[in-house]
Amino acid sequence: MEQDIEKVLVPRQHIASRLDELAEMIIADLNREAARVTSGGAASGGAASGGLEITLVPILTGSIIFVSDLIRRLPIRMQIRVMSVTSYPGKSTASRGASVEAALTRIPESLAGRHVLVIDDILDSGNTLRACLGLLRERNPASLKSCVLLRKQRPEAMSFPVDYVAFDIPDEFVVGYGLDFDDYYRNLPEIVTLKPDVVAKV
Ligand code: IMP
Ligand code: MG
């Protein structure tokens, strides 16, 4: 695996310190949102018992490492409801459009009163996040925010509204820290690019 790496774009120490910052922002915003909803008279994110509560929606499979590191920095009541979307099938390195895989998606019929945060690995064309946000919005959450580990510096991604971005990266194909090429490389601890011959030869 190591020999396939071209360069490291985001080293592990940067990921760890940025996750600390993101978690702080998410908690601060959730506090504000819960106060706003409560003062409006509605239920506060399922937090009727007093504490803050959030519903995280990780998008499979690329967000799993990011989410597992992020949730351990969010010491609040939390439900996790996964969504599955197909967009980069197999060995492709370009999006083929996004569709929600109903069989693997675990979202309740109603999200009324819930503060929902959808989490993806990377914002590229925006198709994946658009499909997920559309489905979630129909279920009437009290608030709906989105968070990505990476955003590619290309117009479609930069103009797509997203609430939290850990890192902006150049418009290159990356793997590691959950991101894959043909389902490999997700377990690399850093975000890297692959040597051109590795991507070309499969
Ligand atoms: P979008 O739908 O084009 O925004 O792409 C989002 C999805 O495509 C992500 O959830 C990833 O699974 C995949 N993807 C986009 N860019 C990359 C990349 O550079 N490496 C690996 N997967 C990617
Ligand atoms: Mg993928």
Side-chain angles (χ1 to χ4, degrees):
M1 241 182 7
E2 295 291 327
Q3 70 276 10
D4 296 344
I5 296 173
E6 182 184 56
K7 60 177 186 289
V8 174
L9 276 189
V10 191
R12 65 182 91 188
Q13 303 86 331
H14 289 193
I15 299 175
S17 56
R18 184 64 180 140
L19 259 60
D20 290 341
E21 293 174 1
L22 271 187
E24 266 182 42
M25 285 191 264
I26 290 167
I27 301 266
D29 289 349
L30 188 61
N31 266 310
R32 256 195 302 276
E33 199 60 48
R36 188 186 65 79
V37 173
T38 309
S39 68
S44 75
S49 57
L52 283 180
E53 183 162 334
I54 194 168
T55 300
L56 284 197
V57 179
I59 302 176
L60 297 175
T61 305
S63 72
I64 59 172
I65 313 285
F66 178 35
V67 166
S68 67
D69 280 348
L70 186 65
I71 59 177
R72 282 174 285 180
R73 291 165 162 87
L74 296 172
I76 52 177
R77 266 172 73 82
M78 162 185 307
Q79 287 187 326
I80 300 179
R81 310 283 199 171
V82 298
M83 277 186 90
S84 181
V85 173
T86 329
S87 61
Y88 270 40
K91 293 165 185 162
S92 58
T93 56
S95 177
R96 299 272 194 277
S99 56
V100 174
E101 286 184 274
L104 295 174
T105 292
R106 296 271 177 273
I107 309 293
E109 290 289 300
S110 169
L111 290 167
R114 303 221 149 253
H115 295 290
V116 175
L117 178 63
V118 54
I119 303 190
D120 203 4
D121 53 358
I122 187 163
L123 180 59
D124 186 7
S125 69
N127 290 331
T128 301
L129 218 43
R130 188 177 296 109
C132 293
L133 289 168
L135 183 144
L136 293 166
R137 206 170 282 119
E138 283 172 9
R139 302 191 184 191
N140 295 312
S143 70
L144 178 59
K145 286 190 156 63
S146 53
C147 174
V148 292
L149 173 69
L150 305 171
R151 175 171 61 184
K152 283 192 187 171
Q153 285 168 322
R154 59 181 279 202
E156 297 89 331
M158 299 306 286
S159 62
F160 192 96
V162 58
D163 298 283
Y164 309 100
V165 177
F167 300 101
D168 280 310
I169 58 162
D171 187 6
E172 294 182 63
F173 190 78
V174 294
V175 298
Y177 201 71
L179 290 112
D180 74 299
F181 174 60
D182 195 22
D183 259 322
Y184 290 105
Y185 304 106
R186 295 192 196 275
N187 53 326
L188 287 172
E190 317 193 278
I191 294 150
V192 307
T193 59
L194 293 174
K195 290 178 183 157
D197 63 304
V198 174
V199 181
K201 81 181 170 210
V202 285

